[in-house]
Amino acid sequence: MSGAQDESPEAGAGRAGERPAAEPPGGALSVDVPGLLAQLARSFALLLPVYALGYLGLSFSWVLLALGLLAWCRRSRGLKASRLCRALALLEDEERAVRLGVRACDLPAWVHFPDTERAEWLNKTVKHMWPFICQFIEKLFRETIEPAVRGANTHLSTFSFTKVDVGEQPLRINGVKVYTENVDKRQIILDLQISFVGNCEIDLEIKRYFCRAGVKSIQIHGTMRVILEPLIGDMPLVGALSIFFLRKPLLEINWTGLTNLLDIPGLNGLSDTIILDIISNYLVLPNRITVPLVSEIQIAQLRFPIPKGVLRIHFIEAQDLQGKDTYLKGLVKGKSDPYGIIRVGNQIFQSKVIKENLSPKWNEVYEALVYEHPGQELEIELFDEDPDKDDFLGSLMIDLIEVEKERLLDEWFTLDEVPKGKLHLKLEWLTLMPNASNLDKVLTDIRADKDQANDGLSSALLILYLDSARNLPSNPLELDPDVLKKSTVQKALKSGKKINSNPNPLVQMSVGHRAQESKIRYKTNEPVWEENFTFFIHNPKRQDLEIEVKDEQHQCSLGNLKIPLSQLLASEDMTMNQRFQLSNSGPNSTIKMKMALRVLHHEKQERPPDYQHSAQVKRPSVSKEGRKMPVKSQRSVSSGTGGSNTTPSTPVIGAADKTGVEDKAQPPEASPKAPHDLGRSSSSLLASPSHVSVKEPTPSIASDISLPIATQELRQRLRQLENGTTLGQSPLGQIQLTIRHSSQRNKLIVVVHSCRNLIAFSEDGSDPYVRLYLLPDKRRSGRRKTHVSKKTLNPVFDQSFDFSVSLPEVQRRTLDVAVKNSGGFLSKDKGLLGKVLVALASEELAKGWTQWYDLTEDGVRPQVVT
């Protein structure tokens, strides 16, 4: 009996869940008499003051005052207990206590990452040095930037800085991370989380146009990487210092007089957003600032950076995305029009848009250079395309160190910042090999050993360092007469104008359809460029590097050069560093370059059957609420460039569309052509990736030239048609074209006459039409289409199309002609009927020709029918 009474209520409740509680004998109930008396006493103590106040006739305000004093005492005692608990928790786990007390977005980097350290000593040092840093910045603006801007263009010859004041608020370093793994022993890598909010005052003036503008404040936040290399055995122990940003920093500039500045000729194509984007990209890898600390040290290798590897991204499909489109003011829930934005450093790719689909399939492939993989991530964001503002569908960040370790990842990844959605990616890490021992195997793997295409998956990477040129023709009259006819010199001579003898040289480089261009050096016949470029190579055994030095002022060629890449394959370490004699130039005109070819080899690691891998997925550092507008309307065209002024992404030629998907609009071959559009009045500021204001996707290298699904299905259809019989010489049929160039109109004219003996796509025949591209331009604006001929295998079109392009330019390009089956609305009978690639490097192009061409599944082996 006493044991039951002494039992605690918790124990009784615990056992009650197991079996019904047994009542005490005789049905008596146990009563806690002391507790009951204590409760009555507390109630009496609370009611007695109220009764006394009423009995004595006092005001009820005394009751409220007493209750207020009681609440204050309890709150004070609670705060004291809370402070004591926080102090004890801080002693036990400092990081967890800080995370619970502060918002994640307000935490510095050393709290987010345990290997990032605080650097208050460094901030105190910078604060003490800040006045001297400001003196250096002012000297940099006046002695370096100001002369460079003045010499960039005649419109800016009166440019000057009237005031340079960086402000009193110093740069702040929120955290420092030192890498100790996966780094070379002769280098030190640091990541600095920097933040600068300065009330600076920088005023500039262009007297010629009575223009005054300036900057009132600057904010910059980002991760700046500092590399100390090479380490040497003498003081100061470090040979050189390299500084750059891994990703585009957050940059905000408060301008004054920007409208007046943008009215100047040569700058009127810019805007505030584009200027910020240009400056930000100029700070991002592969652009870097290299400061030699020892004059004797050989820093040639620092000027010729070789990437750590190449990341091949197979952007395959997604599932279970959110439906963002709504109808009837939100009453009806629709689907989404998803597309993806892929970033590796400042290389940006955009996929095509899949209309009305929550499980889209892109099947696109991109290739990106990776210069510094420690700390660099693959960033992917999905958006729903809308006429006004695109909706966010999820994001993903993958550490490239994990991809390098695994070599191959083919997984489904869960999207962050959204309640649902998955993304299927296949990531390949390609190692750069300095020998050609694996080249044949690589060519076989990407099917580049048989076809004759110049585009598709890459087998090698060409790194080119453009150093300088000597003894260029200083007088345009020294040029070849045939070259003079095509230049503006003849016009100047006829008009009686005085010809400036100093050229403005630039260099145009191309490999296949991929072209790049150097900066302009003004008024010199011995220019020094010191720029880096990269080219993705499809097949180095039969591709050539074409170099042409041009005079921007007189629009004429100063010399050219053609180097077969097979020479690099036979060179030591596949590297050449020498001066090359220019053709069609002066007798002693040379150009100095350093070139290296590297084979892209995928090392397959042997894994046990039960091995499981998973790439480290990082959480985005920017919340959805703080996310900027998608880069779709602002981004730089990801190009096949890798120089100091360009983005080193892959130039690509098409989309890996299924046969049921229509060709999507695609941007042109992305050589840095934005400075041309700006009147070529660019300084180093404007010599950056071109910007587009239209929503256009980045082409995928998995095109119908490199065996996508369309070509595979067409080949399968051919095998079905063969069915044990021998097909004729033209199993896919033929197309008749007339091709000529009009010098008066400066246009390429293509007439699509007819097709014959096409294959039947269904029992009713085919609904063919013809699509034209002038490669490498695959934008929507560069596409030409005929009308659709219904239910016929011998359609007649007789339609004429033209492309605005000069004769010298068109001879370096290729006409892409594809015959496709249209099908009806929502029909599955859409796809490729055959295609042909017509090389336009012919001397008869001005006269023109009319011929029948055999259609093939990939277009790279056309047979001309006489």
Side-chain angles (χ1 to χ4, degrees):
M1 180 75 174
S2 59
Q5 290 176 347
D6 295 338
E7 192 174 16
S8 64
E10 291 81 358
R15 290 223 301 253
E18 300 174 4
R19 61 182 182 272
E23 293 184 359
L29 297 176
S30 61
V31 179
D32 187 5
V33 178
L36 181 60
L37 293 177
Q39 182 66 26
L40 291 174
R42 284 194 295 269
S43 301
F44 180 76
L46 292 174
L47 294 177
L48 181 61
V50 179
Y51 174 77
L53 290 174
Y55 181 78
L56 297 176
L58 299 178
S59 173
F60 188 72
S61 300
W62 290 99
V63 177
L64 299 179
L65 179 62
L67 292 176
L69 290 174
L70 180 62
W72 179 83
C73 292
R74 289 188 173 182
R75 181 177 180 274
S76 178
R77 185 166 32 177
L79 291 176
K80 183 178 179 180
S82 176
R83 288 195 298 269
L84 181 60
C85 292
R86 285 200 303 269
L88 293 175
L90 190 64
L91 289 176
E92 294 178 359
D93 192 345
E94 180 181 2
E95 182 179 354
R96 182 174 181 273
V98 174
R99 286 182 182 273
L100 292 175
V102 186
R103 293 185 306 167
C105 60
D106 296 332
L107 293 176
W110 61 268
V111 176
H112 285 289
F113 310 103
D115 52 353
T116 301
E117 304 173 3
R118 303 169 66 175
E120 287 304 315
W121 65 270
L122 190 55
N123 288 320
K124 294 177 181 178
T125 304
V126 172
K127 184 177 180 180
H128 187 72
M129 295 174 58
W130 189 247
F132 304 95
I133 296 175
C134 293
Q135 294 179 15
F136 168 75
I137 294 176
E138 182 177 1
K139 184 178 179 181
L140 177 69
F141 270 75
R142 296 191 184 278
E143 298 183 4
T144 304
I145 299 178
E146 184 176 304
V149 174
R150 283 183 174 182
N153 191 274
T154 55
H155 297 291
L156 304 177
S157 59
T158 58
F159 175 90
S160 64
F161 289 104
T162 58
K163 184 177 182 180
V164 179
D165 183 7
V166 186
E168 299 180 355
Q169 189 67 25
L171 177 78
R172 178 166 182 80
I173 301 172
N174 297 323
V176 178
K177 179 178 180 179
V178 181
Y179 287 89
T180 57
E181 299 179 357
N182 300 316
V183 296
D184 193 342
K185 293 182 179 180
R186 291 176 57 85
Q187 67 176 194
I188 298 175
I189 300 179
L190 303 93
D191 280 352
L192 307 182
Q193 308 288 337
I194 68 167
S195 177
F196 176 66
V197 181
N199 295 323
C200 60
E201 189 173 353
I202 302 175
D203 297 331
L204 60 90
E205 181 181 14
I206 303 177
K207 295 181 180 180
R208 179 176 179 180
Y209 297 99
F210 305 98
C211 171
R212 292 185 178 182
V215 175
K216 295 178 63 176
S217 64
I218 297 177
Q219 291 191 37
I220 183 170
H221 309 274
T223 302
M224 183 173 68
R225 172 156 294 185
V226 179
I227 300 181
L228 309 176
E229 66 172 343
L231 301 180
I232 57 179
D234 299 321
M235 294 300 293
L237 302 179
V238 178
L241 180 73
S242 298
I243 302 173
F244 53 86
F245 282 87
L246 287 173
R247 291 178 296 275
K248 188 172 71 172
L250 175 62
L251 179 65
E252 294 183 3
I253 299 178
N254 186 8
W255 303 92
T256 59
L258 180 63
T259 305
N260 299 331
L261 184 65
L262 297 183
D263 288 337
I264 297 175
L267 299 180
N268 48 16
L270 296 175
S271 66
D272 183 14
T273 304
I274 292 179
I275 291 177
L276 293 179
D277 207 19
I278 289 173
I279 297 175
S280 298
N281 280 293
Y282 193 75
L283 303 174
V284 179
L285 193 73
N287 300 318
R288 63 176 73 197
I289 300 174
T290 301
V291 182
L293 303 179
V294 179
S295 57
E296 293 82 7
I297 195 70
Q298 296 292 331
I299 62 171
Q301 189 64 28
L302 298 178
R303 294 181 178 178
F304 189 68
I306 295 181
K308 297 294 189 298
V310 170
L311 181 65
R312 183 173 291 161
I313 307 164
H314 297 258
F315 193 63
I316 303 175
E317 58 181 326
Q319 282 186 1
D320 198 23
L321 299 179
Q322 287 182 288
K324 291 290 186 176
D325 295 338
T326 57
Y327 306 97
L328 299 178
K329 296 185 178 181
L331 296 178
V332 179
K333 193 74 172 179
K335 296 184 179 181
S336 294
D337 305 324
Y339 69 92
I341 298 292
I342 304 169
R343 297 184 184 89
V344 180
N346 69 341
Q347 305 167 76
I348 304 178
F349 309 93
Q350 178 182 314
S351 74
K352 62 189 176 186
V353 180
I354 306 297
K355 296 292 185 179
E356 295 290 330
N357 201 326
L358 299 181
S359 297
K361 294 184 179 181
W362 292 283
N363 292 311
E364 296 185 334
V365 185
Y366 305 101
E367 291 174 343
L369 300 179
V370 180
Y371 282 88
E372 297 290 336
H373 55 285
Q376 198 168 6
E377 297 93 19
L378 167 65
E379 306 175 46
I380 298 177
E381 292 177 329
L382 299 185
F383 292 94
D384 167 39
E385 184 186 49
D386 286 323
D388 45 5
K389 180 180 178 181
D390 295 349
D391 298 317
F392 179 69
L393 294 177
S395 64
L396 186 67
M397 293 179 66
I398 300 176
D399 195 340
L400 294 184
I401 294 181
E402 300 298 322
V403 182
E404 183 191 14
K405 290 179 181 179
E406 300 293 341
R407 302 293 176 181
L408 176 64
L409 285 175
D410 190 351
E411 294 185 11
W412 283 91
F413 297 91
T414 303
L415 296 174
D416 292 321
E417 299 186 279
V418 288
K420 62 178 183 177
K422 296 188 300 182
L423 182 62
H424 185 194
L425 298 174
K426 180 181 177 183
L427 307 176
E428 297 180 73
W429 181 270
L430 306 178
T431 306
L432 274 61
M433 306 296 293
N435 55 74
S437 58
N438 297 315
L439 180 59
D440 292 335
K441 182 179 182 303
V442 173
L443 293 175
T444 303
D445 291 341
I446 66 172
R447 297 181 176 89
D449 54 338
K450 296 180 181 180
D451 61 38
Q452 300 296 316
N454 289 326
D455 299 282
L457 297 179
S458 303
S459 64
L461 180 71
L462 175 64
I463 305 108
L464 187 149
Y465 176 68
L466 178 63
D467 186 279
S468 59
R470 287 184 183 176
N471 302 319
L472 295 178
S474 58
N475 192 338
L477 296 177
E478 300 174 4
L479 296 173
D480 186 90
D482 294 334
V483 178
L484 274 177
K485 291 179 181 178
K486 301 176 183 178
S487 68
T488 58
V489 179
Q490 288 282 17
K491 297 179 181 178
L493 289 173
K494 293 179 181 179
S495 62
K497 294 182 180 179
K498 183 179 178 180
I499 298 177
N500 189 349
S501 60
N502 295 319
N504 297 337
L506 61 93
V507 179
Q508 291 181 347
M509 297 148 285
S510 63
V511 179
H513 298 142
R514 305 166 184 179
Q516 300 181 45
E517 189 173 282
S518 72
K519 298 177 183 177
I520 305 171
R521 293 295 178 253
Y522 292 90
K523 301 179 181 179
T524 177
N525 64 340
E526 295 197 353
V528 177
W529 289 285
E530 295 183 344
E531 296 182 56
N532 294 305
F533 301 90
T534 55
F535 290 89
F536 283 95
I537 308 300
H538 184 58
N539 189 342
K541 290 185 176 182
R542 53 177 177 74
Q543 289 187 272
D544 303 322
L545 171 65
E546 297 183 7
I547 305 288
E548 185 175 12
V549 184
K550 285 189 172 183
D551 181 5
E552 183 271 341
Q553 181 179 7
H554 301 109
Q555 294 296 312
C556 61
S557 175
L558 299 177
N560 53 62
L561 176 67
K562 186 174 183 179
I563 304 174
L565 297 182
S566 56
Q567 290 186 11
L568 281 168
L569 294 175
S571 303
E572 183 179 359
D573 293 331
M574 295 197 297
T575 302
M576 298 176 66
N577 185 11
Q578 65 184 68
R579 287 194 172 273
F580 297 88
Q581 179 69 40
L582 290 173
S583 303
N584 301 319
S585 185
N588 299 318
S589 299
T590 60
I591 184 169
K592 184 179 180 181
M593 298 183 298
K594 181 178 180 181
M595 298 178 293
L597 191 66
R598 295 293 181 263
V599 177
L600 304 181
H601 177 56
H602 178 223
E603 299 178 1
K604 296 181 180 180
Q605 296 189 0
E606 296 183 359
R607 302 289 189 184
D610 57 345
Y611 178 79
Q612 295 182 352
H613 59 76
S614 178
Q616 181 179 355
V617 179
K618 296 187 175 182
R619 295 290 176 182
S621 58
V622 182
S623 63
K624 180 181 176 183
E625 289 77 10
R627 186 179 305 277
K628 288 189 173 184
M629 288 287 293
V631 297
K632 196 175 183 184
S633 59
Q634 313 173 14
R635 69 177 181 85
S636 306
V637 177
S638 296
S639 65
T641 61
S644 59
N645 62 340
T646 49
T647 306
S649 51
T650 308
V652 286
I653 59 160
D657 302 343
K658 289 193 174 183
T659 55
V661 181
E662 178 56 42
D663 288 282
K664 193 69 184 171
Q666 297 163 342
E669 185 60 42
S671 57
K673 296 180 180 178
H676 300 259
D677 301 333
L678 303 177
R680 220 190 280 267
S681 60
S682 59
S683 63
S684 59
L685 172 68
L686 301 183
S688 61
S690 57
H691 295 76
V692 276
S693 59
V694 294
K695 299 180 178 180
E696 290 183 338
T698 306
S700 162
I701 57 178
S703 67
D704 48 2
I705 294 179
S706 55
L707 294 180
I709 297 176
T711 303
Q712 294 177 6
E713 291 186 355
L714 184 56
R715 290 188 173 179
Q716 184 179 1
R717 189 178 298 274
L718 274 177
R719 288 193 293 267
Q720 294 174 354
L721 291 174
E722 185 175 2
N723 194 21
T725 63
T726 302
L727 296 177
Q729 184 180 1
S730 306
L732 294 180
Q734 298 167 343
I735 183 172
Q736 187 182 33
L737 303 173
T738 294
I739 304 174
R740 69 180 181 90
H741 186 272
S742 173
S743 58
Q744 296 179 348
R745 300 170 57 189
N746 203 29
K747 290 183 177 182
L748 175 70
I749 299 175
V750 180
V751 181
V752 181
H753 294 288
S754 61
C755 299
R756 63 188 182 189
N757 302 325
L758 299 179
I759 63 172
F761 222 88
S762 63
E763 296 179 356
D764 297 330
S766 297
D767 299 334
Y769 69 93
V770 179
R771 185 267 300 147
L772 305 174
Y773 280 124
L774 187 59
L775 298 180
D777 187 358
K778 300 201 72 173
R779 295 174 298 174
R780 180 179 294 274
S781 59
R783 183 175 63 184
R784 307 289 188 268
K785 289 173 57 177
T786 67
H787 64 265
V788 178
S789 294
K790 294 291 186 179
K791 298 180 181 180
T792 178
L793 302 181
N794 299 284
V796 177
F797 301 104
D798 286 331
Q799 288 185 250
S800 178
F801 305 95
D802 58 72
F803 299 86
S804 297
V805 60
S806 63
L807 182 59
E809 176 68 20
V810 77
Q811 290 180 339
R812 296 198 298 265
R813 303 176 76 171
T814 302
L815 182 65
D816 180 359
V817 183
V819 183
K820 295 194 170 187
N821 187 66
S822 175
F825 181 66
L826 299 179
S827 172
K828 295 182 179 180
D829 292 332
K830 295 181 179 180
L832 183 67
L833 295 173
K835 68 182 305 181
V836 60
L837 295 177
V838 182
L840 301 177
S842 174
E843 298 179 356
E844 302 295 327
L845 187 60
K847 298 179 180 179
W849 63 80
T850 300
Q851 291 178 344
W852 284 93
Y853 292 89
D854 284 346
L855 296 173
T856 62
E857 64 273 12
D858 51 13
V860 297
R861 294 180 301 276
Q863 301 289 333
V864 178
V865 181
T866 59

